[in-house]
Amino acid sequence: MDGGEKIAGGSPQAACRFCKAPLSKTFVDLGMSPLCQTHIEPHELNHMERFYPLHAWVCEACWLVQLEEYVSPDQIFSDYAYFSSYSDSWVEHARRYAEKMIDKLGLGGQSLVMEIASNDGYLLQHFKARGVPCRGIEPAANVAEAAVAKGIPTTVKFFGCQTAKEVAREFGQPNLLLGNNVLAHVPDINDFVGGMKILLNQGGVITMEFPHLLKLMDENQFDTIYHEHFSYLSFGTVEKIFAHHGLRLFDVEQIPTHGGSLRIYGCHMDDATHPTQPAAVALRNLEIERGLQNLAEYQKFEARVKDTKRRLLRFLVEAREQGKSVVGYGAPGKGNTLLNYCGIRTDFLDYTVDRSPHKQGRYTPGTHIPILDPSRIRETKPDYVLILPWNLAKEITTQCSFIREWGGKFVVPIPAVRVLD
Ligand SMILES: [Zn+2]
């Protein structure tokens, strides 16, 4: 059924995770999909796999776009295979951020920086290198171990009000509290933001980065919707959530990561040392102008997603009919949504490659496309390389520019399928 009139079916969790209003309006329904990080090992190929609905709703009261919590975070994040350090451009982004914040906030040996979801220490290592004390908070024990090996002290816990109290008591309150690409990943967003209020020092600054919902809608980035991402965030909605917990967004930057993200700056509500900047007011107004407080705008999205799917499949069918070989590059979470929603298996992609040794030798969830070492591309000389992490297209086309030696071409699937020259 089209038109976003699907009913939540009486599910007990079908209430907005922030404001608790009932959810009844569809943003987009992407069918059934397995968890994006459950890469299949060879001995599991004949096993059954769990598929969960990938159905995003929009709350008409606060405009939070969200998935229901089909799977608990323990199942998703405790053995997370994503090591941030495997992406060069991501590590470089982190380095520039650290330099900027050290200058902007005048951080030094007396300061304290804490990062929530600090992964393998890819970001905090840049503060440590400049002599700024830091601490990570990270739920996945295996990636936290990699951080500790780099000399980054790390608390292995999910973040929320309870963890905030414990960390504040034991290690003090940070002058800079940051969390990149984590706000969308928390099922209990109130417990999480409430925890930041507790942990942040007086006069301290919070920064968070998350993909901007407006970009997702503008550029058909439906593949960024997967079970690990519970929420899809606009500036206006995050501002409401922060205000509810006594925090104020005083500034914002629009940055290019993940196809278009926001970096928000927050402080305690009554902190006069951080006056609200014009950029925050301007973005709030832009989102209103663009219809983000209007249900009809959200309901236009699903038709564009279906069109994007048809175009991609048309390209793949034609390439195969012409006898061309097509392989993938990358095995990111977004690739899983794209492959499962579009029904792309080894009938279209011979294999995909990934630099992470944790993924090599395994298979993509649901679609069972083998994940190989990137050197395989040189051996098999494919006609087309479909870039699944399209947000890293520039890095990948540079690293693999050698495919042009045999006339190979790169293809990106989003916002609409396009062969790169
Ligand atoms: Zn709501």
Side-chain angles (χ1 to χ4, degrees), residues 176-198:
L176 172 61
L177 175 59
L178 68 119
N180 291 342
N181 298 297
V182 60
L183 194 56
H185 295 66
V186 292
D188 190 345
I189 203 164
N190 287 317
D191 184 52
F192 189 92
V193 178
M196 290 198 298
K197 169 75 180 172
I198 292 167

Side-chain angles (χ1 to χ4, degrees), residues 16-21 23 59-64 66:
C16 174
R17 66 169 36 87
F18 167 55
C19 77
K20 311 302 174 203
L23 297 174
C59 174
E60 288 177 277
C62 72
W63 306 112
L64 182 62
Q66 55 199 288

Side-chain angles (χ1 to χ4, degrees), residues 112-415:
L112 180 57
V113 176
M114 285 191 194
E115 182 181 17
I116 304 168
S118 47
N119 202 272
D120 58 7
Y122 74 102
L123 190 150
L124 289 177
Q125 65 184 351
H126 301 296
F127 286 100
K128 182 181 150 65
R130 291 275 304 265
V132 181
C134 54
R135 167 162 292 274
I137 302 166
E138 165 59 48
N142 60 338
V143 290
E145 268 171 38
V148 171
K150 286 182 187 133
I152 311 293
T154 303
T155 299
V156 182
K157 280 215 167 110
F158 279 102
F159 187 76
C161 292
Q162 187 56 38
T163 301
K165 284 176 201 158
E166 289 169 14
V167 170
R169 195 167 51 229
E170 207 170 333
F171 304 107
Q173 291 176 282
N175 311 95
L176 172 61
L177 175 59
L178 68 119
N180 291 342
N181 298 297
V182 60
L183 194 56
H185 295 66
V186 292
D188 190 345
I189 203 164
N190 287 317
D191 184 52
F192 189 92
V193 178
M196 290 198 298
K197 169 75 180 172
I198 292 167
L199 187 54
L200 184 69
N201 206 353
Q202 277 309 316
V205 169
I206 293 171
T207 75
M208 304 196 90
E209 294 176 19
F210 50 82
H212 191 192
L213 176 64
L214 188 62
K215 280 295 241 193
L216 185 157
M217 292 167 75
D218 278 350
E219 305 203 359
N220 283 339
Q221 298 166 349
F222 68 88
D223 58 343
T224 63
I225 298 172
Y226 45 84
H227 298 105
E228 287 78 347
H229 290 168
F230 295 110
S231 305
Y232 302 84
L233 303 159
S234 65
F235 182 74
T237 296
V238 173
E239 201 171 32
K240 271 183 220 161
I241 297 170
F242 271 58
H244 180 79
H245 293 281
L247 295 167
R248 176 167 52 82
L249 299 189
F250 67 90
D251 203 1
V252 63
E253 291 166 39
Q254 300 188 53
I255 55 175
T257 47
H258 289 290
S261 295
L262 298 181
R263 176 185 291 152
I264 54 166
Y265 291 79
C267 61
H268 289 290
M269 186 63 85
D270 53 2
D271 181 352
T273 62
H274 295 107
T276 301
Q277 299 299 306
V281 179
L283 185 58
R284 186 195 304 143
N285 291 336
L286 174 74
E287 287 188 348
I288 295 169
E289 272 168 40
R290 295 290 315 280
L292 291 195
Q293 296 191 8
N294 181 348
L295 182 63
E297 196 55 36
Y298 293 92
Q299 293 187 319
K300 290 177 190 164
F301 184 64
E302 193 165 63
R304 295 201 298 269
V305 170
K306 288 177 179 166
D307 183 57
T308 302
K309 169 177 176 170
R310 286 193 299 268
R311 285 168 191 241
L312 176 59
L313 288 174
R314 201 173 298 136
F315 166 80
L316 290 169
V317 167
E318 283 173 11
R320 285 308 212 188
E321 283 180 346
Q322 291 163 8
K324 308 276 194 195
S325 55
V326 190
V327 306
Y329 192 105
K334 57 171 74 70
N336 185 49
T337 294
L338 185 89
L339 298 172
N340 276 286
Y341 173 66
C342 296
I344 296 168
R345 300 180 180 79
T346 50
D347 45 359
F348 288 124
L349 292 189
D350 296 337
Y351 60 83
T352 189
V353 300
D354 200 282
R355 288 174 77 193
S356 168
H358 301 270
K359 294 180 185 173
Q360 291 167 8
R362 298 190 181 194
Y363 294 78
T364 58
T367 50
H368 292 199
I369 295 169
I371 306 168
L372 307 175
D373 185 279
S375 63
R376 186 59 73 91
I377 291 179
R378 222 183 246 287
E379 292 164 23
T380 69
K381 300 185 170 48
D383 297 301
Y384 293 111
V385 175
L386 177 67
I387 298 177
L388 297 171
W390 40 260
N391 52 307
L392 303 176
K394 208 170 161 192
E395 176 177 345
I396 292 163
T397 53
T398 306
Q399 273 168 12
C400 299
S401 58
F402 57 82
I403 73 166
R404 299 199 164 93
E405 290 166 19
W406 60 83
K409 291 197 157 111
F410 293 103
V411 182
V412 287
I414 301 289

